[in-house]
Amino acid sequence: MSTFTVATVNVNGIRAAAKERSEANRGILPWLEETSADVVLMQEVRADEKQTHLALAPALDAGWYLAQAPAAAKGRAGVGILSRSELKDVTIGFGHGDNGVEIPEAREFDDSGRYIEAKVASGIEGVGDVTVASLYLPSGSANTAKQDEKYRFLDAFAPFMNGRAERGQETIIGGDWNICHRRADLKNWKTNRTKSGYLPDERAFLDHVLGVWPDASTQVGDAEDVGRNGNPGGAAGDFYGAVEYAPGELAQQRLASGAAEDPQWFDVMRRLDPESMDVFSWWTYRGQAFDTNAGWRIDLQVATKGLNERARKAWVDKAAAYDLRWSDHSPVIVEYA
């Protein structure tokens, strides 16, 4: 049986990730030699194309293909795709929309280094080419302009995802989504209800594109979410943490639609492992978060229905020890067949 294996990882700066930290931790290059992945979706590359080619030269010499979307702001964001086979129809940004409908609100992010996609041969019988995309969704920061940017991004990205699903192109969007959807997706959810990454409107966005499965109803605003005194982050529609952002037509449409009842996009790892409470992909470098597994599951592979049905196994390639990490994120890997 032919398989197609995809990894997604926020590299936290490709030049830093490629450095040899110790004899035991030689960075991303040995990992690329050893991984079973056919495609690696990278986020937060934080380098221009020349710098990236230099950092990844041994891997590129060994046959990996690279497509990259650097950010206009030097040293920030940046996404890329590494593939063992040729990448076709590379597209940067998502303002072009789908089904011939452009998304003007997305043009703000055309050169922000947050989205790149390409077609690649899957090798899976009956599937052929699939679209693979690397996403670096804004991290946000409550009560700053960064949170406004994140809300604007969500406004523009939801209609893009809806349009892509309608077109029927089998797609995997892997990346750092910077949102925990459910309580099981972060260790300390109660103390993070006013922190970007777990705000009600962010979680409601994922409800909108992914539905509420495996729950019977949304966790946003349920009895456990609000507790005895209410959720300090408010409710969906409050857009907690915004400074000057005001929800426009796209946000209002998303709020009116609510959670997807018949979702066309699927959180592949959660679909394969609905009960897990401790499979995280990011841990802050501060304190003992990695050692105590006080993490966040913010790195996702979100796939259209046909590919979700072909997912066979998914795992986080977590380093064996803190000092063996070459990023504060770990690769999330899915095997499709």
Side-chain angles (χ1 to χ4, degrees):
M1 177 185 295
S2 297
T3 61
F4 179 59
T5 303
V6 177
T8 184
V9 59
N10 179 318
V11 297
N12 197 18
I14 192 60
R15 288 169 290 176
K19 285 183 178 179
E20 186 171 318
R21 290 167 166 78
S22 67
E23 187 175 342
N25 183 353
R26 295 168 49 226
I28 192 175
L29 292 170
W31 181 85
L32 287 171
E33 290 178 6
E34 298 166 4
T35 182
S36 62
D38 300 295
V39 170
V40 179
L41 306 170
M42 301 184 294
Q43 303 84 46
E44 211 170 349
V45 176
R46 299 208 306 258
D48 62 29
E49 292 179 272
K50 182 178 179 180
Q51 292 167 330
T52 303
H53 276 79
L54 184 61
L56 293 176
L60 301 178
D61 290 343
W64 286 92
Y65 293 83
L66 171 68
Q68 184 179 352
K74 291 185 177 180
R76 296 188 60 192
V79 287
I81 304 173
L82 284 168
S83 173
R84 295 187 188 273
S85 58
E86 185 179 0
L87 294 162
K88 297 168 284 187
D89 299 335
V90 175
T91 303
I92 294 171
F94 56 95
H96 57 283
D98 265 303
N99 290 330
V101 179
E102 291 194 4
I103 306 170
E105 293 84 352
R107 290 301 182 188
E108 171 188 355
F109 304 103
D110 279 353
D111 62 355
S112 64
R114 295 197 177 277
Y115 185 87
I116 186 172
E117 68 176 38
K119 288 187 175 67
V120 64
S122 69
I124 302 174
E125 185 177 354
V127 175
D129 287 356
V130 301
T131 297
V132 292
S134 181
L135 168 71
Y136 180 42
L137 202 149
S139 59
S141 179
N143 302 312
T144 75
K146 291 183 178 180
Q147 194 62 36
D148 290 11
E149 177 193 27
K150 188 172 190 177
Y151 286 143
R152 293 194 304 271
F153 191 100
L154 299 182
D155 288 347
F157 201 58
F160 170 74
M161 293 186 70
N162 293 335
R164 173 57 56 86
E166 290 171 6
R167 186 156 68 89
Q169 171 66 37
E170 295 291 5
T171 302
I172 301 165
I173 303 177
D176 182 354
W177 290 70
N178 267 314
I179 303 171
C180 286
H181 190 190
R182 302 169 63 248
R183 288 184 281 271
D185 293 332
L186 71 167
K187 187 70 170 285
N188 300 311
W189 67 268
K190 286 184 179 179
T191 56
N192 282 290
R193 287 179 294 169
T194 58
K195 303 292 178 59
S196 189
Y198 196 64
L199 297 175
D201 279 291
E202 299 170 348
R203 295 154 57 204
F205 163 80
L206 289 182
D207 277 352
H208 175 73
V209 294
L210 301 175
V212 301
W213 192 93
D215 304 300
S217 59
T218 181
Q219 290 189 358
V220 182
D222 69 7
E224 189 171 359
D225 189 48
V226 301
R228 195 177 300 175
N229 302 310
N231 187 326
D238 291 344
F239 292 95
Y240 180 91
V243 179
E244 295 182 346
Y245 168 86
E249 183 178 350
L250 293 178
Q252 298 295 352
Q253 289 174 351
R254 188 173 74 250
L255 288 167
S257 297
E261 295 183 3
D262 181 23
Q264 302 301 303
W265 292 94
F266 302 85
D267 176 350
V268 178
M269 175 170 275
R270 181 56 73 195
R271 288 279 172 167
L272 289 171
D273 185 8
E275 302 300 330
S276 178
M277 301 287 290
D278 58 357
V279 179
F280 307 125
S281 61
W282 174 79
W283 304 260
T284 176
Y285 277 133
R286 297 191 298 270
Q288 301 294 312
F290 185 81
D291 295 329
T292 61
N293 203 27
W296 297 53
R297 196 176 77 89
I298 54 177
D299 302 275
L300 311 177
Q301 289 195 36
V302 172
T304 46
K305 186 174 183 179
L307 286 167
N308 177 68
E309 291 174 347
R310 289 181 174 273
R312 296 295 177 262
K313 60 180 179 178
W315 66 99
V316 177
D317 194 3
K318 184 180 178 182
Y322 179 92
D323 59 356
L324 298 180
R325 308 167 74 189
W326 39 265
S327 172
D328 51 352
H329 295 250
S330 289
V332 174
I333 306 177
V334 180
E335 180 183 283
Y336 303 86

